[in-house]
Amino acid sequence: MIYALVDKETLNQKGVSLKTLLQHIASFPNIPLLQYRNKFASLEEKKEDLETIRKYYDGTLIINDNIELIAYTDGLHLGQEDIRKYSDDLQEAVNLVRKKIGTKLLGLSTHDKAEILEANTLDLNYIGLGAYRATNTKSEANVGGKSLLDAAQHSKHPVGIIGGVLIDDIFEAPIVYKVIGSGLYCGIDHS
């Protein structure tokens, strides 16, 4: 299944409106999850974007990082650095986040087998794992390639493989989601 990652910065760089992208995403069958990521806008602009997404997308909507906007979404995705803002102890951090989001979905970024094994002990709904291939939008990402596919086999959570993933890529369980970034939908190679 495809997990759409909508990155507002990529859209702005490519001159593509959120509405146009959402209409394009609607032409793809079976995209059950959409994550909205916007690292630079105000909370008000992000809220408006979430409301726009709800008008054009009826699947599960995940917000990246902004727990303050959880009321407008079905879940939250956090990176390794972002989750640790709640506590240096990862278990405690997840427990604190869970108290704030309740039963809504919670995803965590992972990058290797060690982080996957740690995630296995946490109350998560899924993990993101990457980067699979080099990308245009995250030059700092370490590329794992086949080693990520091997590491994914250790996850007890459903895995969304991210970073340079193409629609035609085929993965085995526990990789459930192919995370396809805004760049692909905008007509660039991948994000």
Side-chain angles (χ1 to χ4, degrees):
M1 289 185 281
I2 296 175
Y3 177 130
L5 177 59
V6 174
D7 181 79
K8 190 68 179 276
E9 184 179 9
T10 300
L11 295 180
N12 290 341
Q13 289 172 354
K14 297 298 172 188
V16 176
S17 74
L18 180 59
K19 178 181 172 183
T20 298
L21 178 70
L22 292 166
Q23 290 170 331
H24 186 66
I25 286 174
S27 70
F28 286 82
N30 194 20
I31 298 181
L33 291 171
L34 184 149
Q35 182 186 143
Y36 170 76
R37 179 172 63 192
N38 189 335
K39 298 283 188 181
F40 303 108
S42 68
L43 283 177
E44 185 58 33
E45 180 183 332
K46 293 174 189 180
K47 179 182 151 214
E48 290 171 8
D49 284 350
L50 292 170
E51 290 169 343
T52 297
I53 292 169
R54 287 286 193 205
K55 288 179 188 174
Y56 294 94
Y57 177 77
D58 62 2
T60 301
L61 177 57
I62 307 292
I63 183 76
N64 188 77
D65 296 340
N66 291 107
I67 199 168
E68 309 89 343
L69 296 170
I70 194 69
Y72 301 93
T73 69
D74 303 304
L76 176 70
H77 185 90
L78 293 168
Q80 288 286 324
E81 301 81 26
D82 299 304
I83 189 78
R84 293 181 195 279
K85 291 176 185 173
Y86 295 93
S87 173
D88 289 333
D89 177 81
L90 196 54
Q91 184 69 56
E92 182 179 333
V94 169
N95 290 343
L96 290 169
V97 170
R98 268 285 168 219
K99 285 181 184 173
K100 293 181 178 193
I101 71 167
T103 60
K104 292 192 178 200
L105 297 178
L106 179 58
L108 179 67
S109 295
T110 60
H111 307 92
D112 55 36
K113 181 180 174 183
E115 289 180 356
I116 290 171
L117 294 175
E118 190 173 31
N120 283 344
T121 68
L122 304 172
D123 182 14
L124 303 170
N125 297 98
Y126 70 93
I127 62 168
L129 178 62
Y132 180 59
R133 291 189 185 98
T135 70
N136 294 327
T137 59
K138 284 201 166 193
S139 58
E140 77 281 2
N142 291 324
V143 175
K146 184 175 176 344
S147 69
L148 287 184
L149 303 182
D150 296 336
Q153 297 306 309
H154 296 277
S155 180
K156 76 170 197 173
H157 301 292
V159 176
I161 191 115
I162 189 167
V165 176
L166 304 174
I167 290 176
D168 294 336
D169 284 333
I170 298 173
F171 302 107
E172 295 179 14
I175 298 172
V176 177
Y177 304 109
K178 296 186 285 187
V179 182
I180 306 294
S182 301
L184 183 65
Y185 297 116
C186 293
I188 60 176
D189 294 339
H190 44 267
S191 62

